[in-house]
Amino acid sequence: MRTLTGSRTEAAAQEVIHCAVYTRVSTEEQAEGKFSSLDAQREYCEAFLKSREGEGWKPYPAQYEDAGYSGKDTNRPALRQLLRDIAQGKVKVVVAYKYDRLSRDMRDFLEMLDLFERHGASFVSVTQQIDTSTPAGRVMRSILMTFSQFERETIAERTQGKIKAMRMKGMWIGGPNILGYDLKDKRLVINAIEAEQVKFMFATYLSERSLGKTALLLDEKGYRAKTYTTRAGVRRGGKSFCRTNLHYTLRNPTYTGMLDCYGKLVKGEHEAIIDERTFQRVQELLGRNGKAAKSPSQNKHHHLLKGLVRCAVCGSVMTSYHAKGRDQSYRYYRCSKVNNL
């Protein structure tokens, strides 16, 4: 009997429980350096797993690491992969440094715990040891997550307030790269070569009074949209002008030395490329051309919602399209912004 009992105990102790270590930081800067915050989180978690080796806890070989992702939602590549592995039964325990590494949103966190339970997995926080198998432990877990969500929302509110205050003072706070300017020391500085292209663009539109003709002339001179390099070293932009991106450029008040601050124009720190009078003449012409009556040939396929439908994601106008198959014709709408990417 002793031998049988001993063998059962040894078998139970040798049962392997695969444990996944999940780490996350909100900014890419926190993931940089020889020993980053991600490395510190992982060390704590691995040390914790080592203390549970006697119970059969073993680190799962895959690495689940989200660098530069906020905990406000679950749209994170490593987390999504972790959830898939849990659903497939590959992982039985998820170990994180704190509860808020997994999520800062109460609802998302509880939904993930529910998924864990459905697939026989559990979650452990190294620095917040709470027994979630008891009612008191579950209450403490909810309290911790509520404060974590409160902290995230407070930080977001403060950040938005700071951004608005900086914008009101005319400071550049980031956004799409603008043709005619370069970004130096977080300020817009005129690019002399591109500035001449911008001036030609405005002058040509005033003389031609047509976006299509202006775009063709820009293309003939070899002018292209702003070219830039991302942080990842990928070169983007440099596309030829069309009616859509030309219209967007001509409507940009940044060229007059102003910045759009939540629908209100404020004086920016950067220098103007286009004078106020020229810019206003262009806006008036764009407005008149936009209100001009459309000829029947411009809607020959009878798209009833043309000019009325807008993209639910970005708010851009939906462009009507017509395609002809073997047996029938197709009429559909696409986001004008997507068409010009």
PDB file of all heavy atoms in Angstrom, residues 286-302:
ATOM      1  N   LEU A 286     -12.845  76.425 -54.192  1.00  0.00           N
ATOM      2  CA  LEU A 286     -13.188  75.031 -53.871  1.00  0.00           C
ATOM      3  C   LEU A 286     -14.646  74.905 -53.476  1.00  0.00           C
ATOM      4  O   LEU A 286     -15.330  73.951 -53.862  1.00  0.00           O
ATOM      5  CB  LEU A 286     -12.290  74.525 -52.733  1.00  0.00           C
ATOM      6  CG  LEU A 286     -10.826  74.224 -53.068  1.00  0.00           C
ATOM      7  CD1 LEU A 286     -10.031  73.967 -51.786  1.00  0.00           C
ATOM      8  CD2 LEU A 286     -10.716  73.023 -53.998  1.00  0.00           C
ATOM      9  N   GLY A 287     -15.128  75.880 -52.700  1.00  0.00           N
ATOM     10  CA  GLY A 287     -16.524  75.858 -52.278  1.00  0.00           C
ATOM     11  C   GLY A 287     -17.471  76.001 -53.449  1.00  0.00           C
ATOM     12  O   GLY A 287     -18.477  75.279 -53.535  1.00  0.00           O
ATOM     13  N   ARG A 288     -17.167  76.906 -54.376  1.00  0.00           N
ATOM     14  CA  ARG A 288     -18.049  77.105 -55.539  1.00  0.00           C
ATOM     15  C   ARG A 288     -18.040  75.877 -56.443  1.00  0.00           C
ATOM     16  O   ARG A 288     -19.083  75.433 -56.926  1.00  0.00           O
ATOM     17  CB  ARG A 288     -17.597  78.327 -56.336  1.00  0.00           C
ATOM     18  CG  ARG A 288     -17.896  79.654 -55.649  1.00  0.00           C
ATOM     19  CD  ARG A 288     -17.841  80.797 -56.655  1.00  0.00           C
ATOM     20  NE  ARG A 288     -16.538  80.929 -57.276  1.00  0.00           N
ATOM     21  CZ  ARG A 288     -15.550  81.669 -56.791  1.00  0.00           C
ATOM     22  NH1 ARG A 288     -15.728  82.346 -55.650  1.00  0.00           N
ATOM     23  NH2 ARG A 288     -14.382  81.760 -57.414  1.00  0.00           N
ATOM     24  N   ASN A 289     -16.859  75.314 -56.660  1.00  0.00           N
ATOM     25  CA  ASN A 289     -16.776  74.126 -57.517  1.00  0.00           C
ATOM     26  C   ASN A 289     -17.471  72.929 -56.889  1.00  0.00           C
ATOM     27  O   ASN A 289     -18.042  72.087 -57.575  1.00  0.00           O
ATOM     28  CB  ASN A 289     -15.314  73.777 -57.797  1.00  0.00           C
ATOM     29  CG  ASN A 289     -14.654  74.761 -58.732  1.00  0.00           C
ATOM     30  OD1 ASN A 289     -15.329  75.540 -59.389  1.00  0.00           O
ATOM     31  ND2 ASN A 289     -13.332  74.739 -58.791  1.00  0.00           N
ATOM     32  N   GLY A 290     -17.427  72.857 -55.565  1.00  0.00           N
ATOM     33  CA  GLY A 290     -18.075  71.746 -54.880  1.00  0.00           C
ATOM     34  C   GLY A 290     -19.580  71.812 -54.946  1.00  0.00           C
ATOM     35  O   GLY A 290     -20.270  70.784 -54.941  1.00  0.00           O
ATOM     36  N   LYS A 291     -20.109  73.043 -55.012  1.00  0.00           N
ATOM     37  CA  LYS A 291     -21.566  73.219 -55.062  1.00  0.00           C
ATOM     38  C   LYS A 291     -22.112  73.239 -56.482  1.00  0.00           C
ATOM     39  O   LYS A 291     -23.316  73.307 -56.690  1.00  0.00           O
ATOM     40  CB  LYS A 291     -21.941  74.528 -54.370  1.00  0.00           C
ATOM     41  CG  LYS A 291     -21.665  74.529 -52.871  1.00  0.00           C
ATOM     42  CD  LYS A 291     -22.026  75.858 -52.258  1.00  0.00           C
ATOM     43  CE  LYS A 291     -21.713  75.861 -50.760  1.00  0.00           C
ATOM     44  NZ  LYS A 291     -22.017  77.179 -50.136  1.00  0.00           N
ATOM     45  N   ALA A 292     -21.202  73.244 -57.453  1.00  0.00           N
ATOM     46  CA  ALA A 292     -21.646  73.299 -58.845  1.00  0.00           C
ATOM     47  C   ALA A 292     -22.496  72.091 -59.182  1.00  0.00           C
ATOM     48  O   ALA A 292     -22.285  70.987 -58.689  1.00  0.00           O
ATOM     49  CB  ALA A 292     -20.428  73.359 -59.777  1.00  0.00           C
ATOM     50  N   ALA A 293     -23.474  72.319 -60.039  1.00  0.00           N
ATOM     51  CA  ALA A 293     -24.388  71.230 -60.428  1.00  0.00           C
ATOM     52  C   ALA A 293     -23.628  70.146 -61.177  1.00  0.00           C
ATOM     53  O   ALA A 293     -22.778  70.441 -62.021  1.00  0.00           O
ATOM     54  CB  ALA A 293     -25.503  71.780 -61.296  1.00  0.00           C
ATOM     55  N   LYS A 294     -23.938  68.916 -60.861  1.00  0.00           N
ATOM     56  CA  LYS A 294     -23.290  67.782 -61.516  1.00  0.00           C
ATOM     57  C   LYS A 294     -24.008  67.454 -62.815  1.00  0.00           C
ATOM     58  O   LYS A 294     -25.243  67.461 -62.871  1.00  0.00           O
ATOM     59  CB  LYS A 294     -23.294  66.552 -60.591  1.00  0.00           C
ATOM     60  CG  LYS A 294     -22.638  66.793 -59.240  1.00  0.00           C
ATOM     61  CD  LYS A 294     -21.167  67.046 -59.353  1.00  0.00           C
ATOM     62  CE  LYS A 294     -20.504  67.223 -57.993  1.00  0.00           C
ATOM     63  NZ  LYS A 294     -19.063  67.467 -58.091  1.00  0.00           N
ATOM     64  N   SER A 295     -23.256  67.154 -63.851  1.00  0.00           N
ATOM     65  CA  SER A 295     -23.863  66.777 -65.124  1.00  0.00           C
ATOM     66  C   SER A 295     -24.351  65.336 -65.049  1.00  0.00           C
ATOM     67  O   SER A 295     -23.827  64.531 -64.276  1.00  0.00           O
ATOM     68  CB  SER A 295     -22.837  66.917 -66.249  1.00  0.00           C
ATOM     69  OG  SER A 295     -21.780  66.003 -66.061  1.00  0.00           O
ATOM     70  N   PRO A 296     -25.344  64.966 -65.858  1.00  0.00           N
ATOM     71  CA  PRO A 296     -25.873  63.592 -65.836  1.00  0.00           C
ATOM     72  C   PRO A 296     -24.797  62.548 -66.111  1.00  0.00           C
ATOM     73  O   PRO A 296     -24.854  61.444 -65.591  1.00  0.00           O
ATOM     74  CB  PRO A 296     -26.932  63.615 -66.959  1.00  0.00           C
ATOM     75  CG  PRO A 296     -27.327  65.055 -67.065  1.00  0.00           C
ATOM     76  CD  PRO A 296     -26.076  65.827 -66.785  1.00  0.00           C
ATOM     77  N   SER A 297     -23.785  62.917 -66.888  1.00  0.00           N
ATOM     78  CA  SER A 297     -22.747  61.940 -67.234  1.00  0.00           C
ATOM     79  C   SER A 297     -21.894  61.566 -66.039  1.00  0.00           C
ATOM     80  O   SER A 297     -21.252  60.523 -66.025  1.00  0.00           O
ATOM     81  CB  SER A 297     -21.848  62.494 -68.351  1.00  0.00           C
ATOM     82  OG  SER A 297     -21.179  63.657 -67.894  1.00  0.00           O
ATOM     83  N   GLN A 298     -21.881  62.420 -64.998  1.00  0.00           N
ATOM     84  CA  GLN A 298     -21.082  62.127 -63.819  1.00  0.00           C
ATOM     85  C   GLN A 298     -21.754  61.111 -62.907  1.00  0.00           C
ATOM     86  O   GLN A 298     -21.171  60.638 -61.971  1.00  0.00           O
ATOM     87  CB  GLN A 298     -20.803  63.419 -63.049  1.00  0.00           C
ATOM     88  CG  GLN A 298     -19.821  64.337 -63.757  1.00  0.00           C
ATOM     89  CD  GLN A 298     -19.588  65.597 -62.970  1.00  0.00           C
ATOM     90  OE1 GLN A 298     -20.445  66.471 -62.892  1.00  0.00           O
ATOM     91  NE2 GLN A 298     -18.422  65.692 -62.376  1.00  0.00           N
ATOM     92  N   ASN A 299     -23.005  60.818 -63.175  1.00  0.00           N
ATOM     93  CA  ASN A 299     -23.703  59.800 -62.396  1.00  0.00           C
ATOM     94  C   ASN A 299     -24.524  58.933 -63.339  1.00  0.00           C
ATOM     95  O   ASN A 299     -25.707  58.664 -63.106  1.00  0.00           O
ATOM     96  CB  ASN A 299     -24.612  60.458 -61.345  1.00  0.00           C
ATOM     97  CG  ASN A 299     -25.092  59.455 -60.290  1.00  0.00           C
ATOM     98  OD1 ASN A 299     -24.522  58.379 -60.150  1.00  0.00           O
ATOM     99  ND2 ASN A 299     -26.146  59.795 -59.588  1.00  0.00           N
ATOM    100  N   LYS A 300     -23.878  58.510 -64.425  1.00  0.00           N
ATOM    101  CA  LYS A 300     -24.590  57.769 -65.456  1.00  0.00           C
ATOM    102  C   LYS A 300     -25.049  56.397 -64.996  1.00  0.00           C
ATOM    103  O   LYS A 300     -25.917  55.791 -65.617  1.00  0.00           O
ATOM    104  CB  LYS A 300     -23.715  57.647 -66.697  1.00  0.00           C
ATOM    105  CG  LYS A 300     -22.383  56.907 -66.460  1.00  0.00           C
ATOM    106  CD  LYS A 300     -21.556  56.902 -67.723  1.00  0.00           C
ATOM    107  CE  LYS A 300     -20.214  56.199 -67.504  1.00  0.00           C
ATOM    108  NZ  LYS A 300     -19.392  56.219 -68.738  1.00  0.00           N
ATOM    109  N   HIS A 301     -24.459  55.874 -63.919  1.00  0.00           N
ATOM    110  CA  HIS A 301     -24.866  54.566 -63.412  1.00  0.00           C
ATOM    111  C   HIS A 301     -25.932  54.685 -62.330  1.00  0.00           C
ATOM    112  O   HIS A 301     -26.297  53.697 -61.700  1.00  0.00           O
ATOM    113  CB  HIS A 301     -23.652  53.804 -62.876  1.00  0.00           C
ATOM    114  CG  HIS A 301     -22.635  53.509 -63.936  1.00  0.00           C
ATOM    115  ND1 HIS A 301     -22.897  52.722 -65.037  1.00  0.00           N
ATOM    116  CD2 HIS A 301     -21.341  53.924 -64.071  1.00  0.00           C
ATOM    117  CE1 HIS A 301     -21.814  52.646 -65.791  1.00  0.00           C
ATOM    118  NE2 HIS A 301     -20.866  53.364 -65.242  1.00  0.00           N
ATOM    119  N   HIS A 302     -26.397  55.913 -62.080  1.00  0.00           N
ATOM    120  CA  HIS A 302     -27.506  56.169 -61.165  1.00  0.00           C
ATOM    121  C   HIS A 302     -27.273  55.635 -59.757  1.00  0.00           C
ATOM    122  O   HIS A 302     -28.055  54.855 -59.227  1.00  0.00           O
ATOM    123  CB  HIS A 302     -28.803  55.558 -61.732  1.00  0.00           C
ATOM    124  CG  HIS A 302     -29.112  56.024 -63.123  1.00  0.00           C
ATOM    125  ND1 HIS A 302     -29.471  57.331 -63.414  1.00  0.00           N
ATOM    126  CD2 HIS A 302     -29.071  55.363 -64.315  1.00  0.00           C
ATOM    127  CE1 HIS A 302     -29.665  57.447 -64.724  1.00  0.00           C
ATOM    128  NE2 HIS A 302     -29.419  56.275 -65.290  1.00  0.00           N
TER     129      HIS A 302
END
